[in-house]
Amino acid sequence: METNIDELSSQLSTLTTNSEEIPKLDHRRPLSTFHLPSMSSCPMATDDNNHLLIFHHQRLILFQLPTFEILFFIPTGTFTNCQISDICFYTVSNCFLLASANTIYSLASDRSIELFQKFSNTIWSITYTSTSIFICYLFGASIEQWDFPSKSAFLVNSWVKEDLLETFDQGINCIRAVNQFIGMTVKERNFSWRIDIFDSLTMTRLRRGNTIQQENGLSNWIGILFPIDSFRWLFADGDEGLFLINQTDEQNYQQNNIMKIACNICLLRDVNTRQYNAIVVQSYEVLQIFDVQ
């Protein structure tokens, strides 16, 4: 069933979060575990019906949550010879969007895959608001805003890296939107991360995040966001772990590490209350789902 994006944004914004509401997960028993070895930030996304779609070793796998029952898998070679760089669930059309090279494909509930739109450059990350789809190109070289009225494509705006980042920032890995806000994981000069928040209407920076250090000289590009609401974000950074970022207090941003290893994350909503009640965490070898209520 299709979900109205404004209703979804309202529901997200009412969720209150603090460091105690998503406790440290390392010593908690997961609701379910699925072993899927050799993962390093595999793209994945959840929909509104407790499904998880993940790209792993040239296959798209759709799971039923919370049991991780495999509903189907699709070899990506049937529609593209390139890797899947990002996945999001697009509530406007009630389908998953798959970014591959310079192309976005749609995956519908009947398993049909169609070409959604071709773009000018290699796509690195995708997200959307109630009106637009935002495309982040390779390492954040540029970001474009597109509207799709009546199944046509219309470029609304474009920003190059220099419009968005500071002089010594290296690039952008992941963009995610909620409530007309866009969060970006920014790779800083010393390979550490920063979570900056932008106004999607003007692409002006609203909040500059604090630096999240990478220890032991690590320089990976695993830096994935998931929005809880406009001020609270989950951030997965591989060996550095999973962080709960709280930017509600402008004078004192909070960054709490809640898991030691996390390469990607998704929140799962209760199908009846539509409130978040579980978190899916991807590590290098397993998918796990934890109750967070």
Side-chain angles (χ1 to χ4, degrees):
M1 180 176 65
E2 188 167 330
T3 300
N4 180 277
I5 188 64
D6 294 322
E7 177 187 354
L8 174 60
S9 297
S10 175
Q11 292 162 351
L12 289 175
S13 65
T14 61
L15 179 65
T16 57
T17 304
N18 56 43
S19 59
E20 287 74 38
E21 288 177 347
I22 300 184
K24 289 186 178 294
L25 301 177
D26 284 310
H27 301 296
R28 299 193 72 193
R29 183 184 297 274
L31 298 174
S32 301
T33 297
F34 189 89
H35 291 272
L36 200 64
S38 302
M39 289 188 292
S40 181
S41 194
C42 293
M44 67 182 192
T46 50
D47 66 5
D48 291 327
N49 296 296
N50 288 356
H51 296 137
L52 172 74
L53 182 69
I54 186 170
F55 169 66
H56 179 260
H57 287 193
Q58 313 308 316
R59 297 188 303 173
L60 292 168
I61 308 173
L62 187 72
F63 294 97
Q64 179 69 56
L65 299 176
T67 60
F68 287 116
E69 174 192 357
I70 296 179
L71 300 179
F72 65 79
F73 69 86
I74 300 174
T76 54
T78 60
F79 62 94
T80 180
N81 292 321
C82 301
Q83 300 290 315
I84 304 297
S85 59
D86 202 5
I87 302 174
C88 74
F89 183 68
Y90 187 45
T91 58
V92 175
S93 298
N94 199 33
C95 66
F96 288 101
L97 296 183
L98 319 168
S100 177
N102 68 335
T103 305
I104 292 180
Y105 298 90
S106 63
L107 171 62
S109 57
D110 63 0
R111 308 186 190 185
S112 62
I113 296 178
E114 297 181 358
L115 191 151
F116 186 81
Q117 183 68 33
K118 282 186 174 292
F119 297 89
S120 59
N121 295 298
T122 300
I123 300 170
W124 202 240
S125 186
I126 55 176
T127 192
Y128 72 98
T129 65
S130 58
T131 59
S132 303
I133 291 177
F134 289 81
I135 311 296
C136 177
Y137 292 112
L138 191 65
F139 296 115
S142 64
I143 290 179
E144 291 180 348
Q145 177 187 1
W146 288 79
D147 285 355
F148 293 87
S150 302
K151 297 187 178 180
S152 61
F154 176 73
L155 177 62
V156 178
N157 214 331
S158 178
W159 302 268
V160 297
K161 175 182 174 181
E162 290 73 20
D163 294 333
L164 306 170
L165 302 184
E166 298 175 0
T167 302
F168 296 110
D169 290 336
Q170 298 193 47
I172 299 166
N173 187 61
C174 179
I175 60 173
R176 295 290 185 261
V178 63
N179 291 358
Q180 306 302 322
F181 293 80
I182 293 184
M184 302 184 190
T185 59
V186 178
K187 196 69 163 174
E188 295 185 325
R189 181 179 187 178
N190 63 352
F191 290 104
S192 293
W193 290 105
R194 190 178 73 244
I195 311 303
D196 287 357
I197 310 301
F198 292 77
D199 181 344
S200 67
L201 300 178
T202 62
M203 207 55 79
T204 55
R205 188 171 66 182
L206 302 175
R207 299 193 297 277
R208 184 189 189 277
N210 295 330
T211 294
I212 302 173
Q213 297 289 345
Q214 285 199 320
E215 304 297 333
N216 302 319
L218 295 174
S219 58
N220 69 57
W221 274 78
I222 299 175
I224 306 296
L225 275 182
F226 194 101
I228 297 173
D229 61 26
S230 304
F231 294 91
R232 287 163 278 254
W233 305 74
L234 289 169
F235 174 69
D237 183 24
D239 293 326
E240 295 302 298
L242 176 61
F243 294 83
L244 177 61
I245 310 295
N246 190 331
Q247 298 181 338
T248 305
D249 184 350
E250 294 185 2
Q251 305 303 316
N252 184 26
Y253 290 170
Q254 299 294 315
Q255 298 178 169
N256 300 293
N257 187 290
I258 59 177
M259 197 168 188
K260 292 180 180 178
I261 295 177
C263 299
N264 205 338
I265 68 279
C266 292
L267 286 175
L268 189 67
R269 293 186 293 133
D270 183 278
V271 294
N272 296 315
T273 66
R274 312 312 295 164
Q275 293 184 340
Y276 286 136
N277 64 345
I279 181 172
V280 181
V281 180
Q282 175 193 139
S283 68
Y284 293 108
E285 300 294 330
V286 298
L287 294 167
Q288 293 180 305
I289 183 168
F290 296 89
D291 185 357
V292 293
Q293 283 193 331

